Amino acid sequence: MSTPLYLDRESPLHRLSPEVKIAAVVLFTVVVVVTPRTEFAAFGGYALLIAAVAVLARVPALWLAKRATIELPFVLLAVALPLAGHGERVDWHGLSLSIDGLYGAWNIFAKGTLGVLASLLLAATTTMRDLVLGLDRLRCPSVFTQIMTFMLRYIDVLADDARRMRIARLSRGYDPRFLWQVKAFAVGIGALFLRSYERGERVYLAMLSRGYTGRLPQTTSGSAPVREWAFSAMLPVAAAGIAVAGLVLT
């Protein structure tokens, strides 16, 4: 089960077990988040780490740049902070900018971009099924992994149901386009919800009758080898080293 974000490549990162990649990305993100916003050199080091991982995973830079635009709303928010911030100000090309707001904008942009790029690299090297399997191996609460499993399995079914309902509505000559015609759309959403709820109940009961215990079946060994944990730990350990070096040198 893959997603549009998954890149089917042959690389060392693609071959890693999903749980070690998830843990590495989470720990790397934690290090980035706790780094003081004034440690500019540290953020540059994190960016170099992300670039090295992208090269190792054979993920094109243009592919990352296009999909990183998902953070544009947060970037726009960050741009407004220097104008709306308080405290000491500095003049730049006729604009009065808040110094604290500038630091806040940089903080949002730098940490948000690094987090998004790390997440994209995880998605590019791990199928969606493996992501859920990795969370399950990391002992994520079973209710979350069950919800994700059902969602991934039936999202296409729901999309097909919605498409067929729309076609049926159009074939009857009714195509609501205005606010006062929203009733038909709302009725369709309600019918789709009830149909999905009932299907989910039936599928879940059928799975229970076949021995489903709430955990995904293990198609491979139960835990990742130590060498994979050691290899994946290089990213957060290197990031932590950069953060500590930045604090010590300053």
Side-chain angles (χ1 to χ4, degrees):
M1 184 187 300
S2 60
T3 66
L5 292 179
Y6 178 71
L7 292 178
D8 190 8
R9 305 288 174 85
E10 185 65 28
S11 77
L13 294 187
H14 284 75
R15 292 191 293 268
L16 286 177
S17 300
E19 61 267 29
V20 302
K21 290 186 280 187
I22 294 173
V25 169
V26 170
L27 292 175
F28 172 79
T29 304
V30 169
V31 173
V32 171
V33 169
V34 301
T35 302
R37 61 188 184 182
T38 55
E39 298 296 328
F40 302 108
F43 290 109
Y46 300 152
L48 291 178
L49 287 178
I50 290 292
V53 172
V55 171
L56 188 63
R58 299 177 60 192
V59 177
L62 184 59
W63 185 92
L64 282 174
K66 287 181 177 179
R67 284 150 184 83
T69 55
I70 191 175
E71 67 165 340
L72 279 180
F74 301 98
V75 173
L76 294 177
L77 173 64
V79 170
L81 288 180
L83 300 174
H86 302 287
E88 187 178 355
R89 307 186 75 84
V90 62
D91 292 330
W92 183 76
H93 290 283
L95 296 175
S96 178
L97 305 176
S98 167
I99 294 180
D100 189 61
L102 288 171
Y103 278 121
W106 160 254
N107 192 52
I108 293 175
F109 174 75
K111 294 181 179 180
T113 300
L114 290 170
V116 168
L117 292 177
S119 300
L120 286 173
L121 288 173
L122 176 62
T125 57
T126 315
T127 63
M128 191 58 68
R129 183 193 180 280
D130 284 343
L131 282 175
V132 178
L133 182 60
L135 291 173
D136 190 67
R137 289 178 178 174
L138 292 172
R139 295 303 173 185
C140 179
S142 61
V143 63
F144 294 119
T145 55
Q146 289 184 60
I147 291 173
M148 292 178 64
T149 301
F150 282 113
M151 180 190 71
L152 295 173
R153 174 63 181 84
Y154 290 103
I155 189 67
D156 292 333
V157 176
L158 294 180
D160 288 339
D161 281 347
R163 181 181 56 83
R164 286 194 296 267
M165 292 172 65
R166 180 177 180 274
I167 293 174
R169 189 174 64 245
L170 293 175
S171 67
R172 289 166 175 80
Y174 193 72
D175 184 19
R177 296 176 180 271
F178 304 102
L179 185 60
W180 57 85
Q181 297 177 311
V182 75
K183 180 181 178 181
F185 180 76
V187 170
I189 293 295
L192 183 62
F193 170 79
L194 292 176
R195 185 181 302 177
S196 304
Y197 183 84
E198 293 173 351
R199 177 186 287 123
E201 286 288 329
R202 292 194 301 269
V203 170
Y204 182 67
L205 292 175
M207 292 175 66
L208 289 178
S209 68
R210 289 165 174 80
Y212 180 67
T213 61
R215 292 286 179 184
L216 293 175
Q218 300 291 331
T219 57
T220 57
S221 58
S223 59
V226 175
R227 65 178 183 276
E228 291 192 3
W229 285 104
F231 181 74
S232 65
M234 294 173 62
L235 176 63
V237 168
I242 291 173
V244 171
L247 293 175
V248 171
L249 294 177
T250 56

